[in-house]
Amino acid sequence: MARNQLGVLTALDAAKTQWYHFTAIIIAGMGFFTDAYDLFSISLVTKLLGRIYYYVEGSTKPGSLPPNVAAAVNGVALCGTLAGQLFFGWLGDKLGRKRVYGLTLMLMVVCSLASGLSFGDSPKGVMATLCFFRFWLGFGIGGDYPLSATIMSEYANKRTRGAFIAAVFAMQGFGILTGGIVALIVSAAFDHAYNAPPYDVDATGSTVPQADYIWRIILMFGAVPALLTYYWRMKMPETARYTALVARNAKQAASDMSKVLQVDLEAEEEKVEKIGASSSNSFGLFTWEFARRYGVQLLGTTSTWFLLDIAYYSNNLFQKDIFTAIGWLPKPATMNAIHEVYRVARAQTLIALCGTVPGYWFTVALIDYIGRFTIQLMGFFFMTVFMFALAIPYNHWTHHHTGFLIMYSLTFFFANFGPNATTFVVPAEIFPARLRSTCHGISAAAGKAGAIVGAFGFLYASQSTDPSQTEAGYPPGIGMKNSLILLGGINALGIFFTFLVPESKGKSLEELTGENEEEADEIQPPSSSQTVPV
């Protein structure tokens, strides 16, 4: 038999949309703005790093990062992110969401600044410094995933909870867009100031010494938005669900939420003690009871996020290589180093503006109407369709760049109006409060494992099958066409694993997790009562 819900949690579930909701979205969302800026801005400058530090005298091609260096530069932040998601996800359940929230942000600020610095000016010194600080930058970014998602889900009302969590995540789109805009502004200013010749006219003169400042400025700018929101993060109270259900401090939960909601709430200490003492709220993560109740859901959230990120990060981190392969970007030898940064940034900004940003906000607008399950299933389906539409007639698109750009933008649109948003939202809703941050961290870490597979795998797989056409130092791969077909197949797998994920629309967090049930043996595993829209 279900207990009566705690008054403070009922008040949160029923609260009308208020100013504090938007404040929480902005405070948590600016962390994700910074996350996306930091993770994806590296793709804007990798070609420049190759020209500056790996130029070979007399070569017909501009310098490029060797395979092992390129893999490290692109992937090391993702490795840090995976570690941070697991560590801070666990820590958020042990110490509280707020206590570790500021730590992740300060780590991002310090490491963003440090990424633009280097020990010495040799290629090894610069790359080692860059990789070291980007790992710890990723570690801080990783902590932002479970903490921001959990905080927003526990602050939100049940009617618009999906939209609020999705809005936090949607700030990623603005971070990606801002990265492109900053790179455009910086590269345009330097290109105007130092009018260098193209590489095929003057190989040495095409990369002016001042170009070394460009990548440093772009990477260091990531510290600005994080620093601006640090004070407000520290002012946020701990969530009532953590304080009441995990810390079991009814008085503090009522006091905090009375200020936030501007209503008088009673401290139900006896009820909190009963909930905490129940056997239904005592089992741990590595137990058969957890596996019975939540194992299927955890498999669903981890597998779908893993599959999504293989495709999503492959596309995002290597847009410049895809655009070059189809001929939308000029051959590197026909540009100077600074102008190449400008052209890459312009292409990525256009994709973000046309596909990435709108997709996020379609999810925000519709997730609480059509549901998480429908959006995720639809997103994976259309990502599969458009990826195959790009890959199968690949040779046709090399001569029709506008058509390719439209189709490619649509894959990003349906990733973000689809699983890229829902895989973030759902793990913050369907697990109990004392394990919510941990389970979200595990799900997100599975996603980053997929991103690492995409970052390293696509780099090699997309190389031409013709050894004479590969980038310097790379073995032949399966080619861009076959790589895109492979990504389409991965998206198709995501469709099937989506059926393991429950629909959480319109339910309170305690309804979804069974935390307000009387006895453990009366609770049915949440997976058995999934409502899957058809």
Side-chain angles (χ1 to χ4, degrees), residues 336-347:
N336 66 49
I338 299 174
H339 189 64
E340 185 175 37
V341 175
Y342 178 84
R343 292 298 295 264
V344 169
R346 190 177 72 171

Side-chain angles (χ1 to χ4, degrees), residues 23 36 46 104 189 215 253 390 468 470 493:
T23 303
T46 49
T104 62
W215 68 269
L390 285 173
S468 66
T470 61
L493 277 176

Side-chain angles (χ1 to χ4, degrees), residues 127-147:
M127 295 303 137
T129 304
L130 178 61
C131 289
F132 175 81
F133 286 115
R134 280 191 64 78
F135 175 85
W136 291 107
L137 172 65
F139 193 70
I141 289 171
D144 221 45
Y145 275 73
L147 293 172

Side-chain angles (χ1 to χ4, degrees), residues 315 326 380-398 400 402-411 414 480-481 483-489 491:
N315 279 344
I326 66 152
F380 269 128
F381 174 78
F382 282 110
M383 287 172 69
T384 304
V385 168
F386 288 115
M387 195 61 73
F388 283 141
L390 285 173
I392 295 171
Y394 178 76
N395 293 329
H396 167 80
W397 297 120
T398 59
H400 298 82
T402 301
F404 183 94
L405 179 62
I406 292 170
M407 300 285 277
Y408 192 60
S409 295
L410 285 169
T411 65
F414 282 106
M480 189 65 73
K481 175 178 179 175
S483 296
L484 294 175
I485 289 174
L486 184 61
L487 294 181
N491 290 331

